[in-house]
Amino acid sequence: MPGRSLWLGAFLAAAAPAAAAGTQAETVETGTLNSRLSGDLTAHDPVITREGDTYYVFSTVGHYIGIKTSKDLQHWTDAGSVFAEIPAWARKAIPGTEGIWAPDISYVNGEYRLYYSVSTFGSNRSAIGLATNATLDPKAKNYRWKDQGLVIMSTRDDDFNAIDPNFVSDAQGRQWLVLGSFWTGIKLFPLDTATGKPKPGTEPYSIARRLVPAGAPDPIEAPFIFRHDGWYYLLTSFDYCCKGVNSTYYTVVSRSRKITGPYLGRDGSEAMMGGGTVFLRADLQEQQSFRGPGHAGVFTDTDGTTYVAYHAYDKQADGRPTLRIAPIRWSADGWPIAEY
């Protein structure tokens, strides 16, 4: 959370659709999906889904959760925002908040759930809210985002930070919300399936953290859990986002047979001990563009192909946070490999 610097707020608040258009991935990636992305690619903390023949990306752009659409997963167009203003409950709960961050999108019980974060920079006085919609198609008669209010809140008395939510349903149909940024790491809350919110008094599970000397920052955030072949895979972002091309973000994966953990990296390292396996790293050669890949979200298309969407900072576009999408293939021993 302290890694979400004022640079991010100032940049994304000023980012207008017209200014956002048109950075292409570097030519050295010819043949990858990233090399074919075009249009309005400005995005931070992206998540992706599909309804009918249209793909939708929701991300931290502007103040109110930006929306982008595509018919082919390659060319992206600005499609406005989810909110017109910060909900009144959020302004009251988090004084001084100036925007809505880090959305998550899922289709549950016949409706779309969009979880979102409200906070101020460097503080764990934070809240996660929920908005719902019957459809993602703005031309549909029943298109209307309904804010359902507070889901989870953290205060200075808590040891976690209630931002970066991700909804997940387990193999038994139970519903969960994984979240967290800095402090004592990543938490997992069981949800009431009827409301999409924890029941009062619910205590979270701790499933990942960074180990650092006392008083030092503990940069781990942006959790995302997805299922494959009997395993639960946990993605987290390590180190620092929001510093443009100086960002040191990278993405780590660990897995568990149980949604509550323990999560282990490919080498057996424990997520609760700062372990895991690198999944997304920055371009290493100086002539390449992208730095700080992170805040990853996973999506499986109707043809069974699984993709990871994430942002990275484009050195050739003044460090602009840029949408990246890569198909995932699986190793012989069951580990995801992003083809980026």
Side-chain angles (χ1 to χ4, degrees), residues 24-340:
Q24 296 267 357
E26 65 271 28
T27 56
V28 296
E29 289 187 327
T30 298
T32 67
L33 177 56
N34 275 325
S35 71
R36 302 191 298 275
L37 297 183
S38 65
D40 182 350
L41 301 180
T42 299
H44 205 276
D45 314 328
V47 286
I48 187 171
T49 192
R50 177 177 180 171
E51 184 182 32
D53 64 353
T54 304
Y55 298 93
Y56 296 84
V57 161
F58 297 86
S59 72
T60 306
V61 170
H63 289 293
Y64 306 125
I65 302 299
I67 306 170
K68 301 184 192 305
T69 60
S70 174
K71 296 292 187 181
D72 60 5
L73 206 60
Q74 299 181 39
H75 183 78
W76 293 90
T77 302
D78 177 81
S81 61
V82 171
F83 295 92
E85 60 184 0
I86 299 171
W89 74 264
R91 287 191 177 279
K92 182 178 180 180
I94 314 295
T97 188
E98 296 181 351
I100 304 171
W101 301 346
D104 180 72
I105 190 70
S106 54
Y107 188 71
V108 189
N109 298 341
E111 66 181 5
Y112 287 93
R113 289 184 187 173
L114 187 138
Y115 291 93
Y116 60 89
S117 310
V118 181
S119 189
T120 56
F121 293 103
S123 170
N124 77 322
R125 184 170 181 175
S126 306
I128 290 170
L130 171 63
T132 57
N133 204 330
T135 178
L136 301 181
D137 181 2
K139 297 179 181 178
K141 292 181 179 180
N142 57 344
Y143 177 86
R144 185 166 73 91
W145 287 104
K146 301 175 185 178
D147 188 60
Q148 307 294 348
L150 175 68
V151 177
I152 297 169
M153 184 170 176
S154 58
T155 71
R156 294 179 181 89
D157 295 328
D158 291 305
D159 68 349
F160 69 96
N161 189 14
I163 68 169
D164 293 356
N166 165 238
F167 171 89
V168 58
S169 179
D170 68 18
Q172 290 74 44
R174 296 172 299 181
Q175 297 179 7
W176 305 79
L177 198 69
V178 61
L179 56 91
S181 172
F182 286 70
W183 275 264
T184 60
I186 306 305
K187 309 299 180 182
L188 181 70
F189 284 81
L191 300 178
D192 182 327
T193 57
T195 65
K197 301 179 181 183
K199 294 179 179 179
T202 298
E203 292 294 325
Y205 294 85
S206 292
I207 60 172
R209 66 177 304 173
R210 296 291 295 276
L211 296 182
V212 297
D218 41 7
I220 179 173
E221 58 186 10
F224 195 101
I225 294 175
F226 63 104
R227 292 159 50 192
H228 176 79
D229 197 23
W231 291 94
Y232 296 93
Y233 292 83
L234 170 66
L235 301 180
T236 52
S237 294
F238 281 11
D239 290 356
Y240 294 92
C241 78
C242 315
K243 300 177 183 292
V245 296
N246 295 317
S247 300
T248 55
Y249 238 22
Y250 64 102
T251 301
V252 170
V253 62
S254 55
R255 71 181 186 182
S256 173
R257 288 292 189 186
K258 296 172 58 179
I259 195 167
T260 53
Y263 286 86
L264 305 177
R266 196 173 190 175
D267 61 355
S269 57
E270 300 176 25
M272 281 296 292
M273 299 293 288
T277 298
V278 174
F279 179 63
L280 298 171
R281 68 174 76 243
D283 294 338
L284 298 180
Q285 299 179 35
E286 273 306 306
Q287 67 267 30
Q288 294 181 318
S289 294
F290 291 97
R291 299 292 185 265
H295 208 113
V298 170
F299 158 74
T300 299
D301 207 346
T302 54
D303 66 356
T305 304
T306 298
Y307 298 91
V308 57
Y310 58 101
H311 71 249
Y313 302 92
D314 189 349
K315 187 173 71 173
Q316 297 179 4
D318 299 321
R320 184 180 300 280
T322 302
L323 175 65
R324 309 280 280 161
I325 306 172
I328 290 175
R329 62 181 173 86
W330 295 90
S331 69
D333 56 348
W335 286 90
I337 299 169
E339 298 186 320
Y340 63 105

